[in-house]
């Protein structure tokens, strides 16, 4: 028991560092946008078109790295992802043109796309079923910590060293995250057993089907389509809001980049939301809690925008924390996908659903800047609320998997 306990928590801590840095890399660009626009002499729309390229390449890279994860292992994929996106995020600080930004953010996206499915598959495969949702919720909470780190980097480094210095400084957490995974994380015993079974099959003259092809067979196709739906709608709603709020608060409301960073108080609510989502999902079920949280966020988006736009920042901490809590549904993707699919396709299917769903985010940075001058920021964010309501409807079509045991032969 003691040995298993140590392995579980050492693995958790190691992966947590990688996930924090993933979140930091993914979100830090939003704080660099005002400085990038000014220095590179590009437009608002051009600056956010970089985000579209990021999402597109994250989807492509995620599917590629997710498919190799079921072949080379969970830990190897995590190390590959963290090492590559750490290098390319640092390179963003060297960009002197829009095309260079496209290139480096594209490579960041391609690299980090594979971390989430490998990490969540590993946690799901080693953790007891009765508390798996809570563990995954705690892990997802690392995203909030990463967002806080990106806000802290913006708050302290941009005034002193500019947006370039902020990107250069990301080398430090990159090295820490890579090292923690290398030394603390062990490979999934469930995946190792699955690999042994596949080797027995091939040694006796049989064949093992490519996991990507298995996604489209009769057993998996319906679940894949529904998984894509909750990914596309849920991620579009989240990213449409977060990508534009710091710049909206800086340029439109005139609150300054530091107030935009203060908005990141929502990470307090988000962290609590991830943990409570995981706990409640273990008690009441994955589907109903995912639907409840996405619906709550759909309601909170217009409340937050109206409050900040009409009341300044007086109520910013309160509404930001409540809004953050409603984003706890992001803690549900890991348990939903890991329990819906079998071991032979778990990482591939999780990666395919999550990252192909990211293609919806490709539309956001193009659609929202087009809508804002025509209908206003508040109305433009209405599409985010609509997407979240659709996510709630789709998730209820999946089967409930609370308490499911995960094995190499499931």
């Amino acid at each position: 028991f003691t040995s298993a306990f140590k392995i579980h928590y050492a693995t958790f801590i190691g992966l947590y560092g990688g996930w924090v840095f993933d979140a930091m890399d993914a979100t830090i660009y939003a704080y660099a946008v005002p400085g990038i626009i000014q220095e590179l002499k590009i437009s608002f729309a051009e600056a956010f078109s970089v985000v579209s390229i990021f999402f597109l390449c994250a989807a492509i890279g995620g599917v590629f790295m997710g498919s190799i994860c079921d072949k080379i292992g969970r830990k190897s994929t995590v190390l590959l992802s963290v090492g590559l996106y750490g290098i390319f995020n640092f390179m963003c600080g060297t960009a002197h043109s829009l095309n260079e930004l496209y290139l480096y953010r594209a490579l960041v996206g391609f690299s980090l796309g594979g971390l989430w499915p490998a990490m969540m598959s590993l946690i799901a495969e080693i953790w007891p079923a009765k508390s798996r949702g809570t563990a995954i919720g705690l892990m997802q909470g690392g995203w909030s910590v990463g967002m806080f780190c990106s806000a802290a980097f913006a708050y302290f480094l941009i005034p002193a060293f500019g947006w370039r210095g902020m990107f250069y400084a990301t080398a430090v957490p990159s090295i820490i995250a890579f090292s923690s995974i290398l030394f603390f994380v062990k490979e999934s015993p469930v995946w190792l057993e699955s690999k042994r079974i596949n080797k027995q099959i091939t040694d006796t003259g049989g064949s093992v089907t490519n996991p990507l092809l298995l996604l489209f067979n009769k057993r998996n196709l319906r679940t894949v389509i529904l998984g894509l739906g909750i990914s596309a709608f849920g991620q579009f709603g989240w990213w449409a809001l977060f990508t534009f709020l710091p710049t909206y608060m800086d340029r439109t409301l005139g609150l300054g980049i530091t107030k935009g960073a203060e908005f990141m108080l929502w990470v307090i609510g988000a962290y609590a939301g991830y943990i409570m989502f995981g706990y409640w999902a273990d008690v009441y079920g994955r589907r109903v809690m995912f639907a409840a949280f996405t619906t709550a966020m759909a309601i909170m988006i217009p409340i937050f925008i109206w409050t900040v736009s009409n009341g300044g920042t007086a109520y910013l901490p309160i509404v930001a924390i409540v809004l953050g809590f409603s984003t706890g549904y992001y803690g549900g993707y890991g348990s939903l996908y890991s329990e819906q699919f079998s071991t032979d396709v778990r990482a591939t299917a999780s990666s395919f659903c999550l990252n192909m769903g990211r293609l919806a985010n490709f539309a956001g940075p193009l659609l929202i800047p087009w809508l804002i001058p025509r209908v206003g920021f508040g109305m433009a964010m209405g599409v985010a609320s609509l997407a979240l309501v659709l996510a709630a409807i789709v998730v209820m079509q999946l089967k409930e998997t609370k308490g499911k045991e995960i094995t190499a032969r499931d």
Side-chain angles (χ1 to χ4, degrees):
F1 172 78
T2 303
S3 177
F5 181 87
K6 288 180 178 179
I7 291 173
H8 287 176
Y9 285 92
T11 299
F12 185 94
I13 292 170
L15 293 175
Y16 194 85
W19 185 232
V20 167
F21 185 50
D22 180 293
M24 181 178 167
D25 273 9
T27 59
I28 202 168
Y29 178 80
Y31 294 105
V33 165
I36 288 172
I37 289 175
Q38 182 178 9
E39 182 175 336
L40 300 188
K41 303 297 190 294
I42 60 177
S43 68
F44 178 83
E46 286 174 327
F48 279 105
S49 68
V50 174
V51 181
S52 290
I53 298 298
F54 168 85
F55 284 129
L56 177 62
C57 291
I60 296 170
V63 172
F64 171 75
M65 296 186 74
S67 65
I68 68 171
C69 180
D70 283 321
K71 297 179 180 179
I72 70 173
R74 314 317 193 197
K75 178 178 178 178
S76 297
T77 305
V78 170
L79 283 172
L80 181 64
S81 177
V82 172
L84 289 176
Y85 71 64
I87 292 170
F88 296 130
N89 202 53
F90 176 88
M91 293 300 294
C92 288
T94 69
H96 290 280
S97 69
L98 181 60
N99 287 335
E100 288 182 49
L101 271 178
Y102 281 144
L103 174 62
Y104 297 137
R105 289 305 288 177
L107 291 171
V108 170
F110 184 90
S111 304
L112 66 79
L115 176 62
W116 185 89
M119 177 188 69
M120 288 301 179
S121 293
L122 180 49
I123 289 294
E125 288 167 357
I126 68 169
W127 219 268
K130 65 180 180 180
S131 58
R132 184 181 299 125
T134 302
I136 290 177
L138 284 166
M139 178 62 71
Q140 186 64 42
W143 184 268
S144 298
V145 177
M147 291 174 64
F148 179 82
C149 288
S150 65
F153 268 47
Y155 187 90
F156 291 108
L157 297 181
I158 288 180
F161 305 104
W163 63 272
R164 295 185 186 279
M166 181 177 67
F167 279 117
Y168 294 147
T170 61
V172 175
S174 172
I175 295 170
I176 294 173
F178 188 89
S179 300
S180 69
I181 294 163
L182 182 64
F183 294 112
F184 293 110
V185 174
K186 302 295 183 183
E187 185 54 86
S188 162
V190 172
W191 178 81
L192 290 172
E193 175 63 12
S194 179
K195 181 182 178 182
R196 185 189 66 79
I197 294 171
N198 288 339
K199 187 176 186 301
Q200 286 182 339
I201 294 173
T202 56
D203 287 347
T204 55
S207 61
V208 177
T209 305
N210 186 304
L212 194 58
L213 297 178
L214 289 175
L215 301 188
F216 306 101
N217 64 18
K218 185 177 180 180
R219 182 184 67 173
N220 293 317
L221 181 59
R222 180 178 183 273
T223 305
V224 167
I225 293 173
L226 294 174
L228 279 170
I230 62 171
S231 172
F233 293 132
Q235 290 192 81
F236 180 90
W238 194 98
W239 282 101
L241 177 69
F242 172 76
T243 301
F244 293 95
L245 263 181
T247 301
Y248 170 71
M249 296 175 71
D250 178 42
R251 300 185 65 188
T252 305
L253 300 183
L255 300 178
I257 191 65
T258 56
K259 287 294 183 182
E262 286 175 15
F263 157 68
M264 296 306 293
L265 283 171
W266 85 331
V267 302
I268 298 172
Y271 196 85
Y274 294 140
I275 295 172
M276 294 310 302
F277 177 95
Y279 175 75
W280 286 333
D282 281 333
V283 175
Y284 302 110
R286 315 319 193 194
R287 300 182 310 161
V288 66
M289 293 316 304
F290 191 94
F293 271 70
T294 50
T295 301
M297 185 174 175
I299 295 170
M300 278 304 304
I301 288 175
I303 291 175
F304 176 85
I305 293 172
W306 184 89
T307 301
V308 174
S309 299
N310 291 278
T313 60
Y315 300 102
L316 177 59
I318 297 174
V319 291
I321 289 172
V322 176
L323 176 64
F325 187 87
S326 69
T327 68
Y329 71 88
Y330 244 91
Y333 285 115
S335 54
L336 275 168
Y337 290 150
S338 295
E339 294 169 352
Q340 294 287 334
F341 298 103
S342 55
T343 300
D344 57 343
V345 299
R346 181 166 295 115
T348 301
S350 298
S351 181
F352 183 86
C353 290
L354 189 82
N355 287 294
M356 286 295 98
R358 278 177 170 162
L359 291 177
N361 295 330
F362 181 79
L366 301 177
L367 176 63
I368 301 301
W370 183 85
L371 285 174
I372 289 174
R374 291 166 174 81
V375 299
F377 185 81
M379 289 298 292
M381 285 296 106
V383 298
S385 291
L386 174 61
L388 290 162
V389 171
L390 292 174
I393 294 171
V394 173
V395 76
M396 296 305 295
Q397 312 312 309
L398 286 167
K399 61 185 178 182
E400 181 54 59
T401 57
K402 182 186 73 170
K404 178 182 178 180
E405 297 290 343
I406 292 177
T407 67
R409 298 177 184 271
D410 60 2

